Amino acid sequence: MKKLIAAAAALLISGFAFAQGLTLEVGGRASFDLNIFDFKNGDFDSVLYPIGEDTYKKVDLVDELKATPGFGINVFANIGLPFLEGLGIQPEIGFHYHNVAFKPSNYSYNGDLYAFSYEWDDDMKGHYMTLDIPVLVTYKIGLGDMFFIRPEVGPKFSFTLGKFTVEDNKLKTKATALGQSVSETENIKDDDYDVKSAFNFGFEAGVCFGINLGPGAILIDVRYTRDFTKMTVEDFEFIDTKIGDFDFGSGQSINVSAGYSIKVM
């Protein structure tokens, strides 16, 4: 019994000593996000263009990925660990609005009896929102009394909030058969798609530049983020063809943010 009490006392003392060495910094940041959604990593590389009655041609629709602006806000806590000066764990929670786009490839088909051509009026665009929870390992390096840098890397857990919206576009089609040509323009209106799995797993890596000012520090943060999980929507429809479940691809972005943090412990 005495040994058990002694062991418990030693555990409490060591735990208290460990906690005494912890530091805690809390803050927030607002970010400008440059989204480069990887549509080439989804099913757009093999969509079916109709070229006749019940006849289709498989085509890679993604001609070029586009960088589009978004924004986000995050709050965080940086917990400095006592066993190595500068080392910390930084859990965060944030909301991010993602605009995404790619340049679609035009397509033409010339057969013996008929010909078809498809020409897009604009980029394919969409948007969605996520709740992001990165958990980063950080290492603070002082640059004199006023400045510091803090490399950071770790996993990111994301949840898509609401639906994925595909924005309106125009598709110009031209069909030629037996010497006769028919042209028309199809207006593709905004459409909202349910996301099959709202959870996404990825990572973030970057560096934070800090300026000690007042009770805390001004922070300038630059990060690269990448999702490993593909975003799949339900009941997708393309050129009046119902497809069903469809992989849009995976998200990636470069984020530049500004914020402020205060050391509370």
Side-chain angles (χ1 to χ4, degrees):
M1 186 66 178
K2 290 181 179 181
K3 290 182 179 180
L4 184 60
I5 294 173
L11 186 62
L12 285 173
I13 292 170
S14 61
F16 180 76
F18 180 84
Q20 287 292 97
L22 291 175
T23 62
L24 178 61
E25 176 186 332
V26 297
R29 60 185 182 89
S31 69
F32 169 80
D33 304 336
L34 192 63
N35 300 301
I36 314 165
F37 195 93
D38 190 1
F39 288 99
K40 289 182 177 290
N41 193 31
D43 290 337
F44 280 108
D45 65 348
S46 57
V47 298
L48 296 175
Y49 274 105
I51 59 172
E53 188 175 353
D54 298 325
T55 306
Y56 299 88
K57 179 70 174 178
K58 188 176 291 187
V59 176
D60 184 352
L61 187 62
V62 183
D63 182 39
E64 179 186 348
L65 299 179
K66 293 288 186 135
T68 50
F71 60 88
I73 54 172
N74 280 49
V75 293
F76 65 87
N78 188 281
I79 305 166
L81 303 177
F83 48 81
L84 181 61
E85 185 177 357
L87 184 66
I89 301 293
Q90 184 167 301
E92 303 186 6
I93 186 168
F95 296 91
H96 288 256
Y97 183 86
H98 307 262
N99 288 305
V100 297
F102 69 88
K103 178 183 177 182
S105 57
N106 299 322
Y107 176 71
S108 61
Y109 171 81
N110 295 297
D112 295 333
L113 300 177
Y114 55 85
F116 283 87
S117 68
Y118 293 90
E119 182 180 340
W120 293 93
D121 188 60
D122 198 1
D123 293 337
M124 296 283 286
K125 301 174 183 177
H127 58 263
Y128 64 100
M129 181 172 282
T130 57
L131 168 67
D132 297 331
I133 307 174
V135 182
L136 307 176
V137 178
T138 67
Y139 187 75
K140 186 176 182 179
I141 303 170
L143 303 174
D145 294 332
M146 191 169 185
F147 304 99
F148 64 87
I149 60 173
R150 190 157 60 197
E152 48 200 15
V153 64
K156 175 174 71 78
F157 309 94
S158 297
F159 300 88
T160 304
L161 304 176
K163 299 187 177 185
F164 190 111
T165 298
V166 176
E167 299 175 12
D168 58 1
N169 204 340
K170 291 182 179 180
L171 178 62
K172 301 173 183 177
T173 62
K174 182 179 181 180
T176 302
L178 301 177
Q180 300 295 318
S181 295
V182 177
S183 299
E184 65 177 26
T185 299
E186 181 178 354
N187 293 311
I188 299 175
K189 298 180 180 180
D190 285 2
D191 210 345
D192 296 326
Y193 292 100
D194 290 320
V195 178
K196 188 170 186 179
S197 175
F199 175 74
N200 279 286
F201 175 72
F203 83 98
E204 295 191 0
V207 62
C208 175
F209 303 88
I211 305 172
N212 294 314
L213 186 67
I218 296 173
L219 306 175
I220 305 296
D221 208 297
V222 181
R223 293 183 190 174
Y224 171 74
T225 74
R226 174 81 193 203
D227 291 334
F228 296 134
T229 310
K230 293 181 182 180
M231 180 175 289
T232 302
V233 301
E234 299 177 339
D235 300 323
F236 184 64
E237 186 173 324
F238 180 74
I239 314 182
D240 296 328
T241 301
K242 293 184 178 181
I243 297 175
D245 291 351
F246 191 87
D247 287 338
F248 272 21
S250 50
Q252 61 178 342
S253 64
I254 298 171
N255 308 331
V256 179
S257 67
Y260 193 78
S261 67
I262 297 176
K263 188 174 181 179
V264 296
M265 180 176 143

